[in-house]
Amino acid sequence: MSKAKCQRGEGSTRRVSPKPVFDPACARPFVAGLLSVPVAGLGQMVFGRGTRGALFALIEVLFCVLYFRVLALPLARLGTLGTRPGVDDSRQILLAGILAAMVALMYGSFHVYNVLDAARGARGQRQASRRVRLRSFGAVSPYLYTAPAFAGATLVILVPLVFGICLAFTNYNLYHSPPANLFSWVGFENFKRILSPLSPWRAEFLRVFVWNITWAVLGTTLAFGLGLGIALALLNPGVRWRSLFRAILMLPWAIPATVSIMTFSGLFNTTFGPVNQILKSIGLRAIPWFQDPFWAKIAVLLTYVWVGFPFNMAVSSAALQSIPTELYEAARVDGASAWDCFARITFPLLFRVVAPVLVLSFAGNFNNFSIIYLLTGGGPAVPSSRGSGATDILITWVYNLGFQQLQWSYASALAVIIFLIVVGMSMLNFRLSGAIMQLQGEGEQDG
Amino acid sequence: MADRFKPKCTRPVRAGRPGTAGAYLVLVIACVFVLYPLLWIVSCSFRATAGIVGSSLIPTEASLGNYRQIFTDRNIFFPRWFFNTVKVSAMSSLAALVLAAPAAYAFSRMRFPGRRASLIWLLIIQMFPGFMAIVALYTLLGWSGLLDTHLGLILIYAAGSIPFSVWLLKGYFDSLPRSIEESALVDGATRFGAFTRIVLPLAKPILYVVGLINFIGPYADYLLAQVVITSSSKWTLAMGMRSLTISQFATSWPLFSAVSVLAAIPMVLIFLSSERYIIPGLTRGAVK
């Protein structure tokens, strides 16, 4: 960057004399940067910023000590994930390796920064001093404010995430299960097995995936439809005791999900559940809610609609109330019917507000673990070789594969696939809602 | 008098008689749909006989026996489960706020290299299926000696909710005017002083909402608690309830119902009294 600036500066002189004149000032940033490549801070020290350079050099020395004392061993063992069965625990080796790699990466980015800083500082004394002033406490403070959150998110979310992704490339299963045995790297083997045609994995993956999509679409649509319908009824100006109705209808949202889901498992119980007893008392047959794949799916959906509609109702009614009333008055003057009002004004305007919320709840529902796990446990069992039940969605299947069958390798590979799907959907959502664009706008202001 | 000339029908649905009747019909059916499961579980909790559970909402022999048992039986000891749960939920909610609020403030008010990348990074990393983290978290907790402790559980809940909390708080901070802070800064207040004395008090509604959501999550969570906690004296409510539904399903159902009712009541009260903050808080963060 700095070199380009120099050449541009020379452009006018170049026209006068065709021979390029060597300007030593132009080489300084380059030399300074080069000096700082092997020894951090050397470039800064040579070009007159002794304290800063000394500090940088000290950091490099400290890192080298840390590297040879602490980091070198876990990094080296990352390649094999352990060699002595029963002594080495591959899980611990992998985790230690990831932590060490992260520290090394952090130092690596510091070192790159150091080289750029040396080059920038050597460009000219005046610029440097201004930059030094800018880089005083004010420039560091954002990082102090965000440091606790980043430390927490890194340890509890990022490190386990990287660990999970790494497991997808190993053979961690029942036969390669620490502490008695070791597991090792297998490359893309698990993904190949899951996605290659004719493998039993693929057939089962597709079946679960289709139900997963169906479940997320149907659940979100039904809960939203019901929520919208009730919000419309609630906002009808003729309705009295509105706050009482509203309080009652909000109850499912307020009740801890575990309580309501387990309650529904009792309600739908085939032998003693009240739903079947009511059906019998009005002369219908009892429905095998948790034994028949079709009815189990209905039960899961019904439960979700009960749990999920209040949120949709709340969001819809907030959105409905934000529609300017003048629009309806104008439409009525023009002779529009109630249906016209709904179809031409309410729905389009409402949809613009709730679309991001809908996509978000679709993504949440796609991975709605607790409702499936606590209600049906993924069952009823269907003929399958990889242990997925009729109502299993990807995430509950992954859980089952990991915790019940100890097939962590496949579970992790599936988790990576789910992760990619959800990230894709969310990217779509943010494109829709414009959050990214808003951020980009802010980014331009960053300067 | 003037009211008569104001347009009465300003809502999406016309206030005609059939419309209103239809609205009432929808609302009443919806209320029945909502209330039946709840009344059923309440009625179960008063049932004296264990095995046979019918569909009628009024138990033939009502008794407080189940409630008495969960307050005296040392194996099904509701007060301890409840205390553990409230302790874990409250501490994680508080810790999440302490971790997330300064970061959200920096993201909202300061411009620094890496800001945009960090925000997107926070969004993306939380989309990985949470429990896939369990093997790694289990190992980490083992190393730090935090397995089977509430502290371990609290730290994971708190740190795990950071991305969501940061985004929600940042959205709200963005909507607060900067002028008050800036004048305080001109008057010689420090950045941190402006944050703690001006921005945080102004942001009370969203702090409340984020705190509440981070309280509800651990309160209902079963999955992580069951992995981290092993000794039954440290069980949370969800673990206790799950143990009742798994063990002897039909026989312990009334006990489960009693625990459920008592577990749900505080949440319902908190939620209904603060619902009017939650919706604006959520839509402000999500829709904007």
Side-chain angles (χ1 to χ4, degrees), chain A residues 211-292:
Chain A
W211 159 240
N212 201 339
I213 296 279
T214 320
W215 144 259
V217 170
L218 274 183
T220 311
T221 320
L222 288 175
F224 176 71
L226 191 66
L228 175 61
I230 294 174
L232 284 171
L234 204 59
L235 291 176
N236 185 308
V239 168
R240 298 172 68 190
W241 309 302
R242 191 172 290 148
S243 46
L244 174 70
F245 277 122
R246 201 180 152 78
I248 293 176
L249 293 169
M250 287 303 245
L251 282 176
W253 192 5
I255 288 168
T258 18
V259 170
S260 30
I261 296 166
M262 289 182 206
T263 301
F264 270 83
S265 77
L267 276 171
F268 285 123
N269 187 292
T270 312
T271 42
F272 75 83
V275 174
N276 271 353
Q277 300 204 347
I278 292 173
L279 286 177
K280 273 191 247 171
S281 69
I282 57 172
L284 293 170
R285 271 189 308 155
I287 291 174
W289 289 107
F290 296 129
Q291 288 75 39
D292 181 81

Side-chain angles (χ1 to χ4, degrees), chain A residues 160-196:
Chain A
L161 188 157
V162 174
F163 183 86
I165 292 176
C166 287
L167 281 191
F169 300 95
T170 67
N171 59 356
Y172 183 6
N173 59 28
L174 193 55
Y175 309 106
H176 299 93
S177 187
N181 295 299
L182 300 166
F183 59 78
S184 54
W185 300 108
V186 295
F188 282 89
E189 200 55 39
N190 301 317
F191 292 95
K192 275 188 212 150
R193 288 264 184 84
I194 291 173
L195 297 172
S196 75

